[in-house]
Amino acid sequence: MPLKRLIPCLDVRDGRVVKGTSFVQLRDVGDPVELARHYSDGGADELVFLDISATPEGHDTMTDVVRRVADVVEIPFTVGGGIRRVADATRIIESGADRVSINSAALAEPSLIGDIAARYGAQAVVVAIDDLDGQVYSHGGRTATTRRTVEWAIEAAERGAGEILLTSIRQDGQRSGFDLDITRAVRDAVRIPVIASGGAGSARDVADALKITDAALVASIVHENPTGLSGLRDDITACGISLRPWRTI
Amino acid sequence: MLTHLEMTSEVSSDPAEIRGARRVILPGVGSARSAMAHLNETGAADALRARFSAGDPIVGICLGMQLAVAHSDEDDGVTCLGLLDGHVERLAVDRVPRLGWALVEPWNEAFYFAHSYHVVDAPSVATSEGIAVAIAAGSFFGVQFHPEKSARAGEELLRRCL
């Protein structure tokens, strides 16, 4: 089994990072390219960008962001948000992203998973699932669907997904720990890697999630602490989790 | 990545360019069948074989490494370039695709992997968790991981092998 992965997630709207950060040493705290470089240099194993733009122009801006990130960052990155058809995945991957993450569009049209996987390989397709009490929600967690989380994860894997990004809506932003029950249930149900998301408040929380899954997504815990990432890695390692040995430059 | 290494590159499937280039990187995204079909149709496959016979360097990355051996089980079986002995099988590990950073021995360095298949019975020069992840013979050197996504470790490896 490869080493566990710690993955900072950046929300981007119209080309700007929207979640608050306090990186005083950065020239521009809203620039996704600069933040990506900062996290990459700070020992992130991978990055996720979530494009929350509401307009086609916003998605075009994201394509440009992807291109610029690919120029400066030498770790893998995934882009989600606004990917509704294979052509959207092509636009993002050919701009330099390694993988795309799909959520509502896959729920509306599950064959999209296999279509992207056939073109770019399973490793390029992450299916993001937003869970609340075992039920799947779409459209940024606002709309309840009739699907059950575990069943949808199994179907996504069968259709060719290379990884599941599982977010607990209840825990997201609470910083009180991941929802370990649903995380374990999904992990046990599929034979593809799983990323736990929603609720990271401490190194112990992340370590608890990483005892179950292959990777953990972190947001505010790293955005709000300027020197946080490398310290967080050390603390997670001290909890008995094997992360990538990482040297300072 | 190559720009970081102060190298210039050109993407090509032109046999004359492949034959004449100082160095050639055979990258890998997609499936074995579509990649081999493309290499055969464009004449790039024969150009790569001619390069190899002449002892001119070729670096294979991920699928590009897998294409160098004789045969792949992917896509119900595909005949590959046959530069090196060996064949490609689906990974029999806990979770596939095998995604993430993993230590490579004897180099004692972590690199980023994203693969569902691996080479067996090939001239292996490095392994990761028991899997052959770097193979070399003659003027061919190939790696299963993605040096271009492996931060400093990857940059150093590319600097050494290019």
Side-chain angles (χ1 to χ4, degrees):
Chain A
M1 188 169 50
L3 299 158
K4 305 283 182 168
R5 287 169 286 149
L6 187 62
I7 310 176
C9 176
L10 302 172
D11 287 353
V12 179
R13 183 165 56 217
D14 303 323
R16 304 284 295 168
V17 176
V18 292
K19 266 193 188 155
T21 68
S22 53
F23 286 128
V24 285
Q25 68 270 46
L26 298 185
R27 279 177 288 127
D28 179 355
V29 294
D31 179 10
V33 180
E34 187 138 353
L35 267 174
R37 196 203 317 251
H38 181 85
Y39 283 133
S40 172
D41 291 348
D45 296 310
E46 213 175 300
L47 295 169
V48 167
F49 294 87
L50 189 58
D51 179 15
I52 56 171
S53 307
T55 62
E57 293 75 24
H59 295 316
D60 289 345
T61 308
M62 190 64 206
T63 310
D64 181 55
V65 168
V66 170
R67 213 169 278 126
R68 291 190 294 131
V69 168
D71 276 345
V72 301
V73 166
E74 294 177 347
I75 58 172
F77 67 98
T78 300
V79 176
I83 295 159
R84 295 193 181 81
R85 51 190 74 83
V86 176
D88 296 320
T90 298
R91 172 172 57 83
I92 294 296
I93 289 172
E94 293 191 353
S95 300
D98 299 276
R99 323 203 273 148
V100 293
S101 169
I102 52 177
N103 188 334
S104 303
L107 286 161
E109 189 53 70
S111 61
L112 181 64
I113 300 168
D115 291 346
I116 300 175
R119 181 95 179 250
Y120 295 104
Q123 84 292 335
V125 188
V126 179
V127 170
I129 304 178
D130 291 339
D131 166 85
L132 185 62
D133 298 331
Q135 192 174 358
V136 181
Y137 281 65
S138 68
H139 300 88
R142 293 186 302 274
T143 311
T145 73
T146 55
R147 289 183 180 273
R148 302 296 295 172
T149 299
V150 169
E151 279 74 30
W152 175 229
I154 293 168
E155 181 178 340
E158 281 169 354
R159 287 180 176 275
E163 189 154 43
I164 299 290
L165 167 55
L166 175 70
T167 301
S168 160
I169 295 172
R170 190 182 305 287
Q171 293 307 106
D172 200 27
Q174 298 303 309
R175 305 186 63 168
S176 59
F178 292 80
D179 182 337
L180 300 180
D181 291 338
I182 190 67
T183 302
R184 199 176 286 111
V186 168
R187 189 273 321 259
D188 288 345
V190 297
R191 297 291 303 273
I192 58 175
V194 176
I195 308 172
S197 160
S202 67
R204 168 60 63 186
D205 292 340
V206 179
D208 286 345
L210 288 176
K211 283 173 186 155
I212 300 170
T213 61
D214 306 271
L217 206 71
V218 288
S220 28
I221 187 174
V222 290
H223 299 326
E224 289 167 13
N225 182 353
T227 54
L229 190 56
S230 52
L232 182 64
R233 292 184 73 85
D234 292 342
D235 294 345
I236 293 168
T237 306
C239 293
I241 300 293
S242 296
L243 296 173
R244 167 171 66 114
W246 172 79
R247 329 169 254 175
T248 47
I249 292 158
Chain B
M1 177 63 101
L2 291 176
T3 327
H4 288 209
L5 297 174
E6 290 166 357
M7 293 180 186
T8 56
S9 62
E10 213 174 296
V11 178
S12 174
S13 49
D14 178 72
E17 281 183 350
I18 290 168
R19 192 63 200 85
R22 268 186 65 212
R23 295 166 203 291
V24 163
I25 296 177
L26 186 57
V29 168
S31 70
R33 180 173 301 279
S34 60
M36 276 314 299
H38 180 73
L39 293 176
N40 286 328
E41 277 161 26
T42 55
D46 285 337
L48 288 165
R49 289 187 188 103
R51 259 194 94 82
F52 184 73
S53 305
D56 296 329
I58 306 170
V59 172
I61 293 175
C62 198
L63 178 64
M65 173 190 95
Q66 297 180 358
L67 295 179
V69 302
H71 180 266
S72 172
D73 285 350
E74 197 180 349
D75 302 324
D76 303 320
V78 176
T79 301
C80 300
L81 292 167
L83 309 180
L84 279 65
D85 290 338
H87 64 276
V88 175
E89 289 179 358
R90 189 159 171 90
L91 280 167
V93 296
D94 217 26
R95 284 173 197 264
V96 178
R98 179 172 180 259
L99 272 175
W101 298 77
L103 281 172
V104 173
E105 300 297 351
W107 303 337
N108 194 32
E109 195 80 74
F111 294 91
Y112 185 80
F113 291 87
H115 62 129
S116 300
Y117 288 81
H118 67 126
V119 294
V120 294
D121 301 331
S124 161
V125 295
T127 60
S128 174
E129 302 177 304
I131 300 161
V133 296
I135 61 174
S139 59
F140 183 89
F141 176 73
V143 291
Q144 179 61 66
F145 50 82
H146 287 273
E148 77 284 10
K149 291 291 170 182
S150 296
R152 185 147 304 247
E155 200 173 307
E156 281 169 12
L157 180 111
L158 282 178
R159 206 185 291 280
R160 280 199 306 274
C161 73
L162 286 176

